[in-house]
């Protein structure tokens, strides 16, 4: 019965929300409806690959009803620039008559 026990075992990394055997430590920060008309979610997480000297990164994941979840790890130092670019794009889209979710 070690499989069932391992699947529910807490991670030794204190900030990690994952249980059982996993390749990436992950702390869930937010899930935001990202699609038009409820078409998906954008997840924002802290993530660190389970390997020596791996950096803690910012992870964005995207889920849609029609595709598998996709994710990307960003260096933490890049996240503010990405956030600024998203904000600028949102402002421009609104000015151009962007659609409401």
């Amino acid at each position: 019965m070690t499989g069932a026990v391992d699947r529910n075992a807490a991670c030794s990394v204190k900030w990690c929300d994952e249980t059982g055997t996993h390749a990436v430590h992950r702390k869930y920060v937010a899930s935001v409806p990202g699609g038009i008309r409820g078409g998906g979610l954008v997840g924002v997480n802290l993530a660190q690959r389970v390997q020596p000297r791996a950096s803690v990164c910012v992870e964005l994941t995207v889920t849609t009803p029609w595709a598998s979840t996709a994710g990307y790890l960003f260096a933490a130092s890049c996240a503010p620039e990405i956030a600024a670019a998203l904000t600028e794009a949102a402002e421009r889209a609104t000015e151009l008559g962007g659609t409401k979710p």
Side-chain angles (χ1 to χ4, degrees), residues 6-66:
D6 180 59
R7 184 173 47 241
N8 297 316
C11 182
S12 62
V13 175
K14 300 243 183 262
W15 57 264
C16 182
D17 289 334
E18 300 289 338
T19 58
T21 303
H22 49 278
V24 176
H25 296 299
R26 191 171 279 114
K27 174 71 174 172
Y28 299 96
V29 176
S31 290
V32 181
I36 296 172
R37 294 183 204 91
L41 291 173
V42 175
V44 180
N45 313 306
L46 298 177
Q48 180 183 36
R49 290 188 175 104
V50 179
Q51 61 189 25
R53 296 181 298 282
S55 298
V56 176
C57 299
V58 174
E59 179 186 51
L60 291 181
T61 58
V62 178
T63 60
T64 66
W66 54 87

